Amino acid sequence: MKRIIFTLLLLVSVCSAGAWNKSSYATIMVLASQQLSPEAKGVVNKAVGSDFATIVIADKALNTFSVDENYAPLRNGDNDALVVAEQCVERLRKNKADGEAIVLLAKAIADLHSVPNFRIKDHDFSNNNYTVRRWNNRAGKLARYRNVKWRSLWNTVYPGRHYLFTPELYAYDIDLYHSRYRTAFIEGGISEWAADVAKECRAVYAEEMGDMYILTQERENEYEFIHDRLMAKAGYRLGTLLNEILR
């Protein structure tokens, strides 16, 4: 029952185009659960009423993450992922049994690490679900184009390459490469993590891509490394944060 209630609570949040899709959310939850200490896992599972790794995170509600022109976090309103995360941390410091805050924190940390959720002040291109043309020829010759929506590239195309994977297998695949960087990924706190995400997104948005931008296959593959790295960071950081709060 608690699980159903938490899912409904997330669904009634402000809706927009999705952040991570259900598969990506589930994988991040598995990664985070794997980071939990036995003590923290016991507290979390009791608070949410089930195994934390299997909590369903709604993929239709959206927490964005806004920065100024210098990439400093703006904490822009109640649906800013950083604001939501910080509010949930304060709630959990007062009450470790607040299961709703745990689930909302999980979504906020995940959303903080999603490239399409990133907003740069006075740069509309970071807020548009524009169409890019994927140039699918590696030889450098004009071959064929395929139109794809920007958010679909991040939220459907990349995780779609793992469509036969369970969340556990997807998490294993992500962790297999990125576990060597875990110590570096979890350094600092939420503010430092937000700044790090801004740098990752800056690497993507620096080109100021617009509608019908031609995205080569090589560049698309480079972006997938960023996508997977951000999934790893979200999972490692969420688990680390819960360990710190619930110890």
Side-chain angles (χ1 to χ4, degrees), residues 17 19 30 35 65-66 71 82 95 100 125 129 134 139 155 169 200 204:
V30 170
Q35 313 308 309
F65 170 43
S66 300
Y71 294 88
L82 182 56
N95 178 17
E100 179 187 339
F125 65 87
N129 185 21
R134 297 163 63 194
N155 305 331
L169 283 175
E200 292 270 25
V204 176

Side-chain angles (χ1 to χ4, degrees), residues 162-180:
H162 302 264
Y163 72 97
L164 292 177
F165 285 26
T166 63
E168 291 75 19
L169 283 175
Y170 197 177
Y172 175 81
D173 194 38
I174 294 291
D175 186 58
L176 188 65
Y177 179 80
H178 293 94
S179 60
R180 72 190 80 176

